[in-house]
Amino acid sequence: MGIIKRKKMGLIGLALLLAAVTCLSLTFGQIPIPISNTISVILHQLGIPVDPEQFTAEQLAVIWFIRMPRMIIGVLVGAALGIAGAVMQGIFSNPLADPGIIGVSAGAATGAVLSIALGWATQSMFVMPAFAFCGSIAAVVLTVFLAMRHGKIPVMTLLLAGVAVGMLLGALTSGLLTFMNEQKLQQYLFWMVGGLDYRRWEHVYMAVGPVVLGIGIMLLLARHLNILVLGETEARAVGMPVFPFRMGLLFVAAMTTATSVCVSGNIGFVGLVMPHMMRMLFGPDHRVLLPASALGGALFLVLCDSIGRIVMPPAEVRVGIMTALLGTPYFLYLLRKMRKATF
């Protein structure tokens, strides 16, 4: 079997595994529902005739209005963080880069805490996500503005600017938190940990367009990212305008990440761990790596959410905690591996 065929089979296998995990995630929870009943509910809601006695009204409500939006948000957020992480690692030529490296997460946190401090977050479910999204985009714009010199943005300067902006926004967030009462602090902490609970169809409608569009654009530019990874000299030698493509990929990845953060809170390690893991399995070709990272990120996030629902019943462990618990050991392994390669 050729290498290309093996990679295609690997992607198909990931997609099938994701489909299986998403189906199983709909059956897990405080109210276990058989897979046959779950499938009947989905078919019924899609307009396909089924025997109404195959499920109860309670099962219909749990599957379609609670677990289905939660699962879809998990797939969208996981795929967005996974592919954005792969793009960031390609742009910066650094396997430890993730979507938050240019201030996306810090900007979202500042926007979210600002909406809570102003008391607007309780007025509508869309206020906090909107503030978080605006904060993320503002952080990216500020990072790029600080890093730009004479129409060029050196990669190392962009990284340092991202660190500086992240520290500045972290200080602003901490300052706002000191003036909050206990109730508002709990509201911010609940968002900051990151989770998929209490997601509704409105969140799905809010995220699906930007996330799908962003993933589509990044997949279309995968071949150009392969050339960018070779270096600016090689890219210019083949006639590629380096700056527009690099900035375009950077902003698409940032906006996709910002959309994900605004509907799920701050979820770490997906954009860091999954692209590196997929790179070891599928190689560095971004035409394969990007879809693999999207599938792997979605699979990892849905799996973490499912485990968090069953590990400590009747309580739930939020998915942001689960990704950190499962992602930290691999991150430490990666650091150790890079250290050995250095010395």
Side-chain angles (χ1 to χ4, degrees):
M1 184 182 296
I3 296 178
I4 296 178
K5 190 173 182 180
R6 284 203 302 267
K7 290 182 178 180
K8 288 183 178 179
M9 293 299 295
L11 289 176
I12 293 173
L14 268 178
L16 293 176
L17 186 58
L18 174 61
V21 171
T22 52
C23 289
L24 290 176
S25 71
L26 296 175
T27 68
F28 294 147
Q30 297 183 18
I31 304 176
I33 300 176
I35 186 67
S36 58
N37 296 46
T38 301
I39 295 175
S40 297
V41 168
I42 296 173
L43 293 177
H44 176 268
Q45 291 300 110
L46 293 177
I48 300 175
V50 295
D51 185 0
E53 295 183 358
Q54 293 183 353
F55 56 87
T56 65
E58 181 187 43
Q59 291 174 340
L60 172 63
V62 170
I63 291 295
W64 193 253
F65 296 104
I66 298 178
R67 294 182 185 173
M68 182 65 76
R70 178 174 184 160
M71 181 272 292
I72 295 176
I73 287 293
V75 171
L76 291 173
V77 171
L81 294 177
I83 193 172
V87 169
M88 291 289 185
Q89 291 175 10
I91 290 175
F92 295 114
S93 299
N94 187 340
L96 296 181
D98 74 340
I101 200 169
I102 56 173
V104 177
S105 300
T110 303
V113 75
L114 182 61
S115 69
I116 297 173
L118 294 174
W120 296 350
T122 58
Q123 297 180 7
S124 171
M125 60 175 287
F126 298 108
V127 172
M128 189 188 298
F131 269 73
F133 181 82
C134 293
S136 296
I137 300 303
V140 174
V141 171
L142 180 60
T143 299
V144 172
F145 174 77
L146 292 175
M148 184 174 293
R149 289 293 181 273
H150 307 295
K152 296 182 179 180
I153 301 181
V155 173
M156 186 57 65
T157 305
L158 187 63
L159 288 172
L160 293 175
V163 172
V165 170
M167 295 177 64
L168 172 63
L169 294 177
L172 291 176
T173 302
S174 300
L176 290 172
L177 290 174
T178 59
F179 295 99
M180 288 187 178
N181 56 37
E182 185 176 352
Q183 182 180 1
K184 290 184 177 180
L185 283 174
Q186 290 178 350
Q187 188 178 359
Y188 171 74
L189 180 62
F190 191 74
W191 179 87
M192 192 62 189
V193 171
L196 305 178
D197 41 341
Y198 303 112
R199 300 302 92 182
R200 302 188 337 212
W201 283 108
E202 288 85 351
H203 295 95
V204 176
Y205 303 146
M206 183 168 51
V208 64
V211 168
V212 172
L213 179 62
I215 290 176
I217 293 174
M218 285 184 277
L219 290 176
L220 289 175
L221 296 178
R223 184 175 65 88
H224 300 84
L225 184 57
N226 281 340
I227 300 175
L228 284 176
V229 172
L230 298 176
E232 291 192 16
T233 303
E234 290 77 3
R236 290 194 178 94
V238 299
M240 173 185 286
V242 175
F243 183 78
F245 275 102
R246 177 173 287 166
M247 287 299 99
L249 280 166
L250 188 67
F251 273 104
V252 171
M255 291 185 67
T256 307
T257 303
T259 303
S260 303
V261 172
C262 79
V263 296
S264 66
N266 191 19
I267 298 176
F269 287 98
V270 179
L272 173 65
V273 171
M274 294 314 300
H276 187 74
M277 188 177 294
M278 294 299 108
R279 188 177 292 105
M280 291 194 301
L281 293 175
F282 292 93
D285 187 351
H286 288 89
R287 292 174 296 180
V288 179
L289 177 60
L290 294 190
S293 298
L295 291 172
L299 174 63
F300 180 61
L301 196 60
V302 174
L303 185 62
C304 286
D305 184 51
S306 301
I307 295 174
R309 290 202 306 245
I310 63 176
V311 69
M312 294 178 60
E316 292 185 6
V317 181
R318 305 201 81 200
V319 69
I321 299 174
M322 291 302 304
T323 58
L325 290 175
L326 297 178
T328 300
Y330 183 80
F331 179 69
L332 295 175
Y333 160 76
L334 179 60
L335 283 177
R336 185 175 181 84
K337 183 179 178 181
M338 291 185 65
R339 182 180 178 183
K340 288 183 177 179
T342 303
F343 293 99

